[in-house]
């Protein structure tokens, strides 16, 4: 449909693009809006788990310098995950560095790319 990519191995459908950098509340608001609008015909979009996001990680960087398949937008070089770090903070997958990291809730934010199980 041009809006999504489906991983046939994991059965997860991904948004090709995503939202601009923002605080976790902004990304969660973006997610709610997508579900209310039934983005790509579905209303069960969510933030990915660590394992799901790592399944997108490519071993070598692409021509844009990201460890991400070129089917995805390069405008989201690192994305929020559904997983939280206790006592505070959020996990991210960083496609530019090819790694996973966490940051406290005081950071400027991250990008959002949503997914759903098909």
């Amino acid at each position: 449909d041009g809006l999504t990519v489906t991983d046939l191995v994991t059965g997860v459908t991904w948004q090709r693009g995503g939202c601009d950098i923002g605080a976790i509340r902004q990304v969660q608001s973006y997610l709610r809006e997508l579900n209310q609008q039934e983005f790509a015909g579905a209303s069960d979009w969510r933030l990915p788990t660590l394992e799901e996001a790592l399944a997108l990680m490519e071993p070598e960087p692409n021509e844009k310098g990201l460890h991400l398949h070129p089917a995805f937008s390069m405008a989201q070089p690192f994305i929020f995950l559904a997983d939280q770090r206790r006592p505070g903070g959020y996990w991210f997958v960083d496609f530019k560095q090819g790694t996973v990291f966490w940051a406290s809730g005081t950071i400027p934010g991250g990008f959002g790319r949503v997914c759903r199980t098909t």
Side-chain angles (χ1 to χ4, degrees), residues 98-111:
T99 190
V100 175
F101 71 96
W102 74 271
S104 71
T106 62
I107 63 159
F111 297 91

Side-chain angles (χ1 to χ4, degrees), residues 103-118:
S104 71
T106 62
I107 63 159
F111 297 91
R113 174 174 286 126
V114 298
C115 68
R116 61 185 292 269
T117 305
T118 51

Side-chain angles (χ1 to χ4, degrees), residues 30-108:
Y30 171 78
L31 172 61
R32 280 191 301 276
E33 288 173 21
L34 288 179
N35 282 324
Q36 288 170 353
Q37 297 167 4
E38 294 190 358
F39 173 73
S43 61
D44 58 348
W45 296 98
R46 58 184 170 72
L47 292 177
T49 65
L50 174 63
E51 294 81 9
E52 289 168 335
L54 282 177
L56 298 183
M57 187 79 68
E58 294 286 327
E60 297 296 323
N62 62 30
E63 66 280 353
K64 300 287 186 176
L66 297 182
H67 295 265
L68 183 64
H69 191 279
F72 293 94
S73 167
M74 302 300 144
Q76 293 78 27
F78 59 95
I79 59 172
F80 272 109
L81 302 177
D83 305 292
Q84 287 187 310
R85 183 178 185 277
R86 304 286 183 221
Y90 296 91
W91 287 98
F92 299 84
V93 166
D94 184 339
F95 298 109
K96 183 126 180 103
Q97 303 299 319
T99 190
V100 175
F101 71 96
W102 74 271
S104 71
T106 62
I107 63 159

Side-chain angles (χ1 to χ4, degrees), residues 13-32:
T13 298
W14 290 87
Q15 179 185 30
R16 280 186 189 267
C19 68
D20 200 2
I21 195 164
I24 186 65
R25 287 185 208 104
Q26 291 168 302
V27 173
Q28 290 167 336
S29 176
Y30 171 78
L31 172 61
R32 280 191 301 276

